[in-house]
Amino acid sequence: MFFETASGLKPAPFKYSVYNALVVPRPIGWISSMSPEGVVNLAPYSFFNALSGDPPCVMYCPNGWKAGTKEAKDSLTNVETTGEFVFNMCTYELRYQMNETSAHVPASVDEMAEAGLEAAPCKLVKPPRVKASPIALECHYLQTIHLPAARDGRPNNVVIGQVVGIHIADDVITDGIIDVHKVNPLARLGYMDYAKLGEVFTMYRPE
C-alpha cells in the first residue's frame, strides 16, 4: 500500500499511527539533566541516535509539551539553560526503571530517585548518571533544531550534544571490545513494544 503523510499517519486498516513501527529498532535515549536549582530529571526518548564519530555527537528529541500544559519538557529547558546532559544506556535489566521515568511528574521531583535508581557523579558535567547503567555519555549541549510542528501545534525539537566524557563498566569489556551481549541493550519498537538483543553476526565490507 501507499499513502501520503499529509492526510495522516493512520490510514485504513491501521488502528494506530503507523510511523513509529516503521523505523525499528531504535535505541533509547535515557537522558539525565539537571535544573539550575539542582533537581535531577531523567526521561527516555525513542527518537535518539549517534550523529558522528569524530567529534562524537548525539541527538534526542524532546517533542511535545509537558502533560496538561503548553510548556516545554524539562529535558529541553534544563539542557538549553545549563548546557549539559548525560546519555545513559538502557539495558534489558533496567527496563522497568526506564519505564517508570516516562511518567509525567512535576519539575520539582528528582526522577532518578523516584524510580529507585542510584545516581553516580559525572566527571565533566553536573547532571549525574545512572549508576547501574553500563555505559554513560557526558555531553555538552550544541544546539536545538526546531522541526515542523505537529498537526495540533505540538513542537518537535532535536537537541544535539557533543560527547565530552565516556563511562564504560569494566564488566562489559571482553578482549578489548564492548561485549554487546553483556551490555544487553533495550530497543524501542512501535506501539508499546520493545526488544532485547537476539542473534549477533559479523559482516565485513567489500574491499
Side-chain angles (χ1 to χ4, degrees), residues 62-86:
N63 297 330
W65 293 302
K66 294 172 67 173
T69 75
K70 288 194 175 182
E71 298 176 5
K73 293 186 175 180
D74 296 330
S75 294
L76 177 61
T77 56
N78 285 352
V79 173
E80 289 185 331
T81 302
T82 66
E84 300 176 331
F85 67 92
V86 181

Side-chain angles (χ1 to χ4, degrees), residues 32-52:
S32 52
S33 63
M34 183 179 284
S35 71
E37 295 74 32
V39 180
V40 176
N41 178 270
L42 180 64
Y45 291 94
S46 69
F47 292 121
F48 165 87
N49 223 315
L51 291 174
S52 61

Side-chain angles (χ1 to χ4, degrees), residues 114-180:
E114 185 79 0
L117 292 162
E118 184 177 353
C122 287
K123 300 288 187 181
L124 303 175
V125 300
K126 289 183 179 179
R129 58 190 174 90
V130 175
K131 185 175 182 179
S133 176
I135 296 171
L137 309 179
E138 300 185 17
C139 301
H140 284 169
Y141 168 75
L142 292 178
Q143 64 174 306
T144 301
I145 298 174
H146 301 291
L147 302 177
R151 290 177 178 81
D152 61 3
R154 287 177 295 120
N156 290 311
N157 307 294
V158 180
V159 172
I160 299 175
Q162 181 173 335
V163 179
V164 296
I166 298 176
H167 299 263
I168 305 172
D170 292 338
D171 57 10
V172 301
I173 304 172
T174 301
D175 297 329
I177 64 172
I178 302 297
D179 189 328
V180 71

Side-chain angles (χ1 to χ4, degrees), residues 58-105:
V58 297
M59 71 87 184
Y60 70 97
C61 298
N63 297 330
W65 293 302
K66 294 172 67 173
T69 75
K70 288 194 175 182
E71 298 176 5
K73 293 186 175 180
D74 296 330
S75 294
L76 177 61
T77 56
N78 285 352
V79 173
E80 289 185 331
T81 302
T82 66
E84 300 176 331
F85 67 92
V86 181
F87 159 77
N88 304 274
M89 174 68 72
C90 183
T91 65
Y92 178 75
E93 290 76 14
L94 291 169
R95 64 194 184 279
Y96 295 120
Q97 293 94 326
M98 178 278 298
N99 196 45
E100 283 291 318
T101 62
S102 68
H104 301 294
V105 299

